[in-house]
Amino acid sequence: MSADLRVSIGSLTLNNPVLVASGTFGYGEEFAPYFDLSVLGGVVTKTITLEPRAGNPPPRIAETAAGMLNSIGLANVGVEVFVREKLPALQRYSTAIIVNIAGRSADEFKAVLRRLEECDLRIDGYELNYSCPNVKEGGMAFSARPDVAYEVTVALRKETTRPLIAKLTPNVTRIGEIARAVAEAGADAVSAINTLVGMAVDHRTRTPKLATVVGGLSGPAIKPVALAKVWEIKNAVSIPIIGVGGIQNYEDVLEFMLVGASAVQVGTANFVTPDCAARIVRDLESYCDREGIDRLADLVGRLNVEC
Ligand SMILES: Cc1cc2nc3c(=O)[nH]c(=O)nc-3n(C[C@H](O)[C@H](O)[C@H](O)COP(=O)(O)O)c2cc1C
């Protein structure tokens, strides 16, 4: 018997709950040599902006004890090249294509979305990057303030009937408030979390390890924070949550699902083991068979908090 691994994110049904996180999987095709991308629940592409961006100056990556710091700063090819050269290559895989977008203003977000809506290619949903901590103009503003997150989401909701997933930052006091604002504005789901603001220092040279001084911390170090944020969001809204942060194996996925995530994204782990998301899908299948679980989705939110 094979378990049913399908999960729903609003109107979107994923083959399984395992997606790969924006910015850690290129535009998708880069990982095709390592495994068949069709085994994934979905691919979330690198954040796309209206114009191409070079990102921040190097060094923009630093290793830490249990993860990494980055200050890429949304380097990307821009929406035109994305539509012409990157998106077509993904069409052949039977995995959900979630396009992650960002802008310096609500108008830029809108312009990127419109351009994508105009193209004739398959797009299964959008992830709205409200949360990048590494952009000088303050990408953070969109998910640090509920009123701003609300307004941008309302504006984008008018532009598309495709699923909208708002990606939230953990670098706020009450993430539940932001989740409530985007849910009220019509977002179909939220993903949480983006990276945590962090810093690394070289004591010999007495310099920061990143050119931008501070950057975004990701990897196993942030998993406990991500679980707590998913839990907080679960208690604030009823729209589906996609858990992100430090996931490396199927047991991590089970933890996020129990806490309330309907699906998850694998990020930094892709840099360590390029086919790890595929392995996680296989391991979830084996787990369900072993435990006699018919529908993996039944685990969502089943955390026992009586203790
Ligand atoms: C090198 C790098 C680049 C990233 N770029 C983006 C990006 O372009 N857009 C985005 O929404 N998130 C980006 N992220 C954040 C990840 O998608 C994810 O939210 C975060 O890394 C936490 O998950 P993880 O601990 O599994 O990596 C990036 C993360 C890393 C490490």
Side-chain angles (χ1 to χ4, degrees):
M1 182 206 75
S2 254
D4 181 357
L5 296 193
R6 286 173 303 174
V7 295
S8 296
I9 301 294
S11 59
L12 179 63
T13 299
L14 306 175
N15 293 333
N16 63 66
V18 183
L19 299 101
V20 283
S22 180
T24 67
F25 207 73
Y27 296 102
E29 266 279 294
E30 291 87 336
F31 280 72
Y34 303 106
F35 66 95
D36 177 6
L37 305 190
S38 296
V39 304
L40 295 172
V43 169
V44 187
T45 54
K46 171 77 191 157
T47 292
I48 289 296
T49 53
L50 193 55
E51 303 297 336
R53 289 200 198 177
N56 292 325
R60 52 191 197 178
I61 295 280
E63 231 175 277
T64 71
M68 65 183 272
L69 278 165
N70 87 83
S71 61
I72 306 294
L74 300 189
N76 78 92
V77 296
V79 72
E80 263 330 304
V81 172
F82 178 74
V83 166
R84 222 175 324 119
E85 295 175 15
K86 307 293 183 187
L87 193 51
L90 272 180
Q91 303 292 301
R92 78 181 87 128
Y93 302 105
S94 56
T95 187
I97 303 171
I98 311 291
V99 179
N100 179 303
I101 67 171
R104 292 186 172 91
S105 61
D107 281 346
E108 187 182 343
F109 263 102
K110 235 161 51 179
V112 179
L113 190 65
R114 276 193 185 154
R115 179 65 190 94
L116 290 161
E117 286 285 291
E118 270 166 31
C119 79
D120 284 336
L121 297 165
R122 178 168 66 87
I123 294 172
D124 297 295
Y126 299 104
E127 184 174 70
L128 312 170
N129 183 2
Y130 287 168
S131 48
C132 187
N134 306 317
V135 183
K136 248 211 209 108
E137 306 82 19
M140 274 280 299
F142 295 106
S143 71
R145 287 186 36 194
D147 55 335
V148 179
Y150 178 86
E151 275 166 33
V152 183
T153 309
V154 164
L156 297 177
R157 182 71 287 171
K158 291 185 186 136
E159 302 290 328
T160 183
T161 55
R162 291 189 169 109
L164 287 180
I165 304 161
K167 184 167 180 181
L168 306 184
T169 179
N171 301 309
V172 292
T173 312
R174 280 189 288 272
I175 200 168
E177 275 181 16
I178 315 285
R180 211 173 291 127
V182 297
E184 278 167 13
D188 298 282
V190 295
S191 48
I193 55 176
N194 208 314
T195 54
L196 283 149
V197 174
M199 183 171 171
V201 170
D202 185 335
H203 68 84
R204 287 158 306 183
T205 57
R206 301 186 177 183
T207 55
K209 288 189 179 173
L210 295 175
T212 49
V213 184
V214 294
L217 181 65
S218 64
I222 73 168
K223 194 184 89 174
V225 178
L227 283 169
K229 298 295 177 190
V230 169
W231 176 243
E232 186 183 336
I233 296 168
K234 177 75 185 163
N235 289 310
V237 296
S238 54
I239 56 174
I241 305 164
I242 305 179
V244 202
I247 292 170
Q248 305 186 92
N249 56 46
Y250 81 98
E251 289 168 305
D252 293 334
V253 176
L254 295 174
E255 291 171 24
F256 273 88
M257 293 185 84
L258 289 170
V259 166
S262 298
V264 298
Q265 295 174 10
V266 177
T268 299
N270 297 313
F271 297 130
V272 184
T273 315
D275 67 346
C276 88
R279 194 196 60 212
I280 290 174
V281 175
R282 283 198 303 273
D283 288 350
L284 282 172
E285 253 158 15
S286 312
Y287 167 81
C288 288
D289 288 348
R290 220 168 43 239
E291 299 294 321
I293 292 170
D294 298 331
R295 277 186 71 229
L296 188 57
D298 290 343
L299 293 188
V300 175
R302 299 295 286 273
L303 185 71
N304 181 359
V305 283
E306 300 307 317
C307 53

